[in-house]
Each structure stands twice: as structure tokens, then as C-alpha cells.
Amino acid sequence: MVKNQACIAIGINQYQFFQPLSYAQQDAQALGNFLVGEARLPAERCVLLTDTSPPADEHSTYPSKENILAWLDRQCREQVQPGDLLWCFFSGYGMSWEGQDFLMPAEGDPTDIPTTGIPMRELFATLKAAPAEMVLVVLDMNRASSMRSNDAIGTETVELAKRLEIPTLLSCRPGQFSREVSALHHGLFTAALLEGLRYNRCVDLDSLERYLNHRLPELSEHHWLPVQEPLMVVNPREKIHQVIWPQNDAVTASKAAASGFSSSSEPHLGNGFVTPSVEYSPLSGNGFNGSRHEPGNFALPPDVPLKSAGAGSEMGKPAAEPADTAPVLSDNSSETPKSQEPVSSQKWLLWGGAAAFVLLLGVAVSRVAIVNLSTPETSSMVAGSDQANQPAAAPKETSSAAQKPQAAAPPAQPVPSQTLLDKAILTIQPVQASHFSSAIVTAGQIPPSDPLYAEAQQNIERWGGVILDIALGRAKQGNFQGAIAAAKLVPQDRPELNAQAQKLIGQWQQLFKMQQANQKLLTTAAGSIRRGQLDSYTLAIATAGQIPAGQPKYGEAQKLIARWSAAIFNEIALYRAARGRFSAAIEAANLVPASTPTYAKAQKAITQWKQKVKR
């Protein structure tokens, strides 16, 4: 069982000999903020090493080779105790030299990798010597595409992780690139990692691996990038169920409360990834999200009683107590043997009251049954008899008597603010703007006087930014309608975000009009094609060529022009040349636009055909 956690997060943007990275520093800061702010790791047990991080304990945190190794050794010796879990995160350049992997510090030189780089063997040896119960290594290693020596980065790391039995998570497989995306303000890998931890409750290695294996390739395709696949190394494989978050009862309570909100649908934990195999056992100390009502916590307030699913209530909701205590007495009597409890007059009085209540209730129910089973004929007979002076009174009295136990039920309690916040978080699914919008509406119900109001407002601000990022991603794909629809979900009470969204909506509306007009041009051009007829191809090319560069559908127009140009050369020009009609072939080949890949072939063929015409 993990007692405490510690972390060292390294992110390097500014390199002396590499092209600068955009979001490595932000990746390390985001993970560190999450572990301290939401996973409740003690701040004094976490260290952040970036280009701009301030000194800690009078020691520099600039990510040089010397500082990284010194802080790593300091964390392993001073902060980690037996039974702890240590996070080690790195975002920056990685290199491979003669089969050995290296992390490159800020002064790392690709022309002198062994001297200036940090050997992966040294990193893993230091981590292995730590007294922690488990070390989790997370590496988001970028590699310079111009470096041929960099092709095998990650191969040795995988072997070291297996041999030393240190769970290791790589941002991509050897041979792939780890990429950054401006729309996400993160690297693809770290964006998916934070999603899994924050929104999808990936609390063990198994659930995190399954989520990242699905989400990271999906995210790379969403942003039109080559597929990036994560790689998790866990040896022995039994460690895959190792919990990576410290937890307590608050986790189970918050998840149960959120699941009890809707009877029509279950809350989704992101793309269908639910981790039913994870057991939420209470842990002491700084548990997952803690039990305090502060930003970053997801615990239920102490005044909400928790009952299991088998206790006669929905999970996480306070069960309505019955108006009478007779059933409770019956349960107690079955639990306590008579030989162990003397029969007092008070108990007999309670039993007598309970029996009288049951008897009266049985009479009332019997009268209701008799009235409901009566036919019109029997009702008229009762109404006409001397004994039924007021035929309508009996049913009314019976009805009120039957409803007395129900009327004594307590009034519905207002939904606790923490439960609202949990529901909002569990509503979210990545790349679904509507889910973030629903979460914003739910979190917006928390009043300013509530202790969780500040946390709710922070989440609303962050979710509004995510919605805008989703809109930008859709616009990049040419889906301007979807981008506009997403941008309209940005909360209006966030002036800066809303102003940016409105500006983008105006731009996208104009682009959408251009897109529709240009699509009509392409449809007209394609419809004019007649196979084998040279004029139809030239007309189609001229029509598609009306779409200027930079406008929507320009790329599609250029692809069609290239395809039709190839058809002119292959299907018409070559056909004519094969039949000895070289002049006609030259005429057709001259119509291939210079901007197309077929142009060079056409010009070469024209030269040959002109020589044949002379002969």
C-alpha cells in the first residue's frame, strides 16, 4: 500500500543547441500542478525543474545536467521513504548514441551526446536505488528529425525498464515522433495524460494504459498529425494494477454520488473507459483529492450520509427514513438474541405500538382493496342501503389513511455543492464541446457563498478554454459549422473568452460562406468531366482554378486539378501517341498545368514526340 507520493517534473523549452520547444515547460508545470493541487501530493515533496522555475530550498532548479542529477539524487535520498511512490516526469529532447539513450538537458549538445547528455542507465540506476515501493517514469521525449542517430530513441529505455522492473511510460514508440499542438497548449501525450488523470479517473497503470492507447492516436488524428502511440512497460505484468493515486473514502463517495444523479443514463468516464476492476480502498494521509473542501477536492460534505447500494437507497444519496420505526425494531430484534437482552416494559410498549400501527395499516389497506374491487352495481347497492348514509366519505377516509406513512417522509434535500461539482466533472468526454458545456452549467449552480464556489469558477474558466480549443481544432479541419457550434458554447459570463469566441465566429462564418461557394465550383467542375473529351477536362481545370490560395477548398481543388491533369496525359495524350497521332498528343500534353506533378512527364514526352514528328 502506497503511503505517500513524491515527484520530480522536468520540462525544457529553451535549448542551447536544439530548436526551442513550445510546451515542454508547460507540460511539466501542468503535471506538477495537478499532482499537488488535485492529487494532494505535499508541495514540499515535489520539485519542478524548468527554464523559469524559481530556486527551491536555496538550490537552483534550472534544468542543467548537474542540477537534474543533483535533484534526482536529493529526491531519492531525502524525500522518498519505504512504501512511497515516486513520479519522475521529463519533457524535452531525447537522443540515442551507439544504442544508448540519453535525456538532453538545457545545455545538451547533439554533437557531443555522451558528455552533455544524461545517460538513461544512470537515471534508472538512481531511481532503482530509491527506497520507494514503486517508481513511475513518464518520458515525453522529442527527437530532432534531422538527426539520424536519433532513430532508435526509446529502445534501450524499454530494455532498462524491463530488466530493472521500473514501470515506464513513453510518449511514443521507437521510430515515432512526439509532437506538440498549439491548439492544446501542450504536447499531444501530456494533453492525453492529463485528460486521463483529471477527467477519466485513471487511478492505476491498467486504466491509464488502456485510456492512452485509445486516446493518443485519436488525438493525433484529430489534429491531422501522424499517429502517435504510447508505450507502457510494466514488468512483471502483475504490477499493471498498481494504484498511482493515493485515495480515501472521498473518491468512492464522490463517484457514487455522481452515479446517483441520473436514472436514465450512466455518467461516462471519457470514451467509455470505465475501470470497474479498481478498488477504492481508504488510505490515510494525503489521500486522492483529500477530504477537505478546497479547490481540487471532490469529497462529499460531511452532512451527506453515504449508504451502499444494498441499503435501500441510490448510491451516494441520503436514503429517506421511514415514518415509523417498526421495521428498524424488527431488524434490531433479529440481530440481538433474546437471551442477551432483558425484556423491559418500554420495549413491550414499543412493540405494542408497532403492532397497533401494523393492524391499523392492514385495515386501511383492506378498505382500499375493497373499494377498488367494487363494481358499479355493487357501489350503487351500497349507496342505496340504510347503512351507507355518506357513500363518498369512506373512500376519502380510506385514501387519506393509506397515505399517512408516505406523508411523513422527510422533504427532498438540496443537492450538495460537492456532488454538483463531481457530476460536472464526470459529465465530461474529451473532444465533446457539449459535454464541457453541460459541466459548466452544472458547476454554475454552486452559489458564491459556497466554499466550493472558487473551485467551480476555476473549472468553468478552464472548461471554457477547452471548448474554444475544440472549436479551433474543428476549424483547422475545415469543419466551420462545427467550430461555430462549439464556440457558441463558450460561457458568456467570461468576457475575455467570449470576446475571442465571438471574433472567431465572425471569421468562421465568412469562411463557411466561401467554403459553400467554392464547393459549388468544385461540384460544377466535376460534373463537366466527360471521359476522353479533352475540352471537358480543360474546362473542369479552369473552373477549379478559380479558387484562390488560402480559401476553403483550395487544397481539394488542387488535388482534383492534379487528378484531371494526369487523366489528360495518361488517358488522352498517351492514347493518341500510341496510335501515331503525335501532333494531337502534343496538343493534349500542352494543356497539363505547370503546377501539377504530371507537368514534368508531359514536357519530357512532348520533346520526344516533336522529334518523331520531324522524322
Side-chain angles (χ1 to χ4, degrees):
M1 178 179 295
V2 175
K3 294 181 180 178
N4 291 297
Q5 293 195 349
C7 77
I8 177 170
I10 308 164
I12 309 172
N13 279 351
Q14 301 300 323
Y15 277 86
Q16 297 180 18
F17 300 100
F18 290 91
Q19 181 178 355
L21 297 173
S22 299
Y23 302 110
Q25 174 177 321
Q26 190 163 335
D27 288 348
Q29 289 174 336
L31 182 64
N33 290 340
F34 172 80
L35 291 176
V36 173
E38 298 186 39
R40 314 313 299 172
L41 269 68
E44 66 275 8
R45 293 169 61 86
C46 300
V47 62
L48 177 67
L49 277 65
T50 68
D51 309 332
T52 60
S53 54
D57 297 332
E58 300 182 354
H59 296 285
S60 172
T61 58
Y62 180 74
S64 64
K65 177 179 180 179
E66 180 182 1
N67 286 342
I68 291 175
L69 293 176
W71 272 108
L72 190 65
D73 181 68
R74 193 176 295 117
Q75 286 292 99
C76 292
R77 285 188 297 102
E78 299 177 5
Q79 295 296 336
V80 178
Q81 303 296 327
D84 289 356
L85 187 153
L86 173 63
W87 287 70
C88 181
F89 176 84
F90 176 86
S91 181
Y93 280 104
M95 299 287 289
S96 180
W97 182 79
E98 294 186 355
Q100 297 183 25
D101 290 345
F102 293 82
L103 299 180
M104 303 308 290
E107 76 278 16
D109 187 350
T111 63
D112 189 10
I113 299 174
T115 303
T116 62
I118 299 174
M120 199 69 74
R121 293 185 179 184
E122 184 174 351
L123 173 74
F124 273 81
T126 303
L127 295 173
K128 185 64 177 179
E133 176 181 325
M134 188 184 83
V135 176
L136 176 59
V137 179
V138 183
L139 302 173
D140 191 354
M141 293 187 294
N142 291 266
R143 61 190 184 100
S145 58
S146 60
M147 306 286 180
R148 292 298 301 171
S149 62
N150 212 19
D151 290 345
I153 181 68
T155 303
E156 186 199 24
T157 303
V158 172
E159 295 175 356
L160 289 170
K162 289 180 180 178
R163 185 171 75 250
L164 299 177
E165 297 183 358
I166 297 178
T168 302
L169 179 57
L170 300 175
S171 61
C172 63
R173 297 177 180 273
Q176 294 181 343
F177 285 88
S178 186
R179 303 181 184 275
E180 299 179 317
V181 178
S182 59
L184 298 173
H185 303 292
H186 284 296
L188 276 179
F189 169 77
T190 303
L193 175 66
L194 291 171
E195 282 183 7
L197 295 174
R198 175 174 287 123
Y199 300 128
N200 295 275
R201 297 296 192 270
C202 295
V203 296
D204 62 1
L205 293 175
D206 181 39
S207 58
L208 184 60
E209 180 185 39
R210 289 188 288 114
Y211 179 77
L212 290 176
N213 284 342
H214 174 88
R215 179 60 177 149
L216 188 54
E218 178 186 65
L219 201 59
S220 57
E221 291 179 4
H222 174 74
H223 290 280
W224 290 24
L225 293 171
V227 174
Q228 181 177 333
E229 301 169 292
L231 179 60
M232 181 177 286
V233 182
V234 181
N235 184 39
R237 192 62 183 174
E238 290 74 16
K239 288 186 178 180
I240 196 68
H241 299 293
Q242 174 70 51
V243 173
I244 57 176
W245 283 50
Q247 304 166 69
N248 56 24
D249 287 328
V251 180
T252 309
S254 62
K255 290 173 68 68
S259 66
F261 257 94
S262 173
S263 59
S264 59
S265 62
E266 287 185 347
H268 297 283
L269 299 187
N271 291 335
F273 284 87
V274 184
T275 56
S277 61
V278 180
E279 296 181 2
Y280 298 92
S281 55
L283 300 178
S284 60
N286 52 335
F288 168 41
N289 289 331
S291 59
R292 297 181 299 166
H293 297 268
E294 298 177 359
N297 295 321
F298 304 99
L300 287 174
D303 58 343
V304 180
L306 298 179
K307 293 183 180 284
S308 63
S313 66
E314 295 185 45
M315 292 183 64
K317 288 187 176 181
E321 297 295 335
D324 196 270
T325 56
V328 177
L329 289 172
S330 177
D331 291 341
N332 291 339
S333 65
S334 63
E335 292 175 0
T336 306
K338 291 182 180 180
S339 59
Q340 299 179 10
E341 179 180 324
V343 180
S344 64
S345 58
Q346 182 179 4
K347 183 172 181 180
W348 278 110
L349 181 60
L350 290 174
W351 273 105
F357 172 78
V358 172
L359 181 60
L360 290 174
L361 184 62
V363 173
V365 172
S366 300
R367 294 181 66 186
V368 172
I370 293 173
V371 171
N372 291 338
L373 291 174
S374 62
T375 62
E377 290 79 2
T378 56
S379 298
S380 61
M381 290 174 62
V382 174
S385 64
D386 295 335
Q387 299 176 356
N389 295 327
Q390 295 180 350
K396 288 183 180 179
E397 292 174 0
T398 303
S399 176
S400 61
Q403 292 179 358
K404 282 183 180 180
Q406 297 180 2
Q413 297 292 328
V415 179
S417 298
Q418 184 63 61
T419 308
L420 283 173
L421 196 56
D422 289 338
K423 179 190 176 186
I425 292 172
L426 292 175
T427 299
I428 293 172
Q429 285 188 359
V431 199
Q432 294 292 332
S434 59
H435 289 265
F436 283 96
S437 179
S438 298
I440 288 172
V441 172
T442 302
Q445 299 176 33
I446 298 176
S449 58
D450 194 280
L452 291 177
Y453 177 76
E455 179 183 354
Q457 293 301 307
Q458 290 176 2
N459 284 333
I460 290 173
E461 184 77 22
R462 184 172 69 247
W463 295 337
V466 172
I467 291 175
L468 197 57
D469 286 341
I470 292 173
L472 289 167
R474 292 178 181 178
K476 184 179 179 181
Q477 293 179 318
N479 181 12
F480 297 111
Q481 276 188 308
I484 292 170
K488 288 182 177 179
L489 297 177
V490 172
Q492 297 182 359
D493 59 349
R494 308 291 161 177
E496 186 176 348
L497 275 177
N498 190 53
Q500 187 179 357
Q502 294 305 315
K503 181 180 178 181
L504 290 172
I505 287 173
Q507 296 175 0
W508 293 336
Q509 287 174 340
Q510 294 297 323
L511 290 172
F512 179 61
K513 291 180 180 178
M514 292 181 186
Q515 187 181 58
Q516 288 182 309
N518 293 342
Q519 182 60 55
K520 288 182 180 180
L521 284 175
L522 294 182
T523 303
T524 302
S528 65
I529 294 292
R530 298 293 181 269
R531 188 169 183 178
Q533 295 183 13
L534 182 61
D535 292 343
S536 68
Y537 284 101
T538 57
L539 177 61
I541 290 173
T543 303
Q546 297 178 27
I547 300 176
Q551 284 195 8
K553 296 293 181 181
Y554 173 77
E556 185 176 342
Q558 294 303 305
K559 290 180 181 179
L560 290 174
I561 290 173
R563 184 192 305 170
W564 296 333
S565 299
I568 289 175
F569 180 71
N570 295 324
E571 298 178 12
I572 299 177
L574 291 180
Y575 177 83
R576 292 177 179 180
R579 282 156 178 75
R581 299 167 56 194
F582 298 112
S583 297
I586 293 172
E587 177 188 3
N590 275 326
L591 296 176
V592 174
S595 61
T596 62
T598 312
Y599 179 76
K601 291 183 181 179
Q603 292 301 309
K604 184 178 180 180
I606 287 172
T607 302
Q608 296 174 354
W609 294 337
K610 283 182 178 179
Q611 293 176 355
K612 291 183 179 181
V613 168
K614 289 180 180 179
R615 290 198 299 268

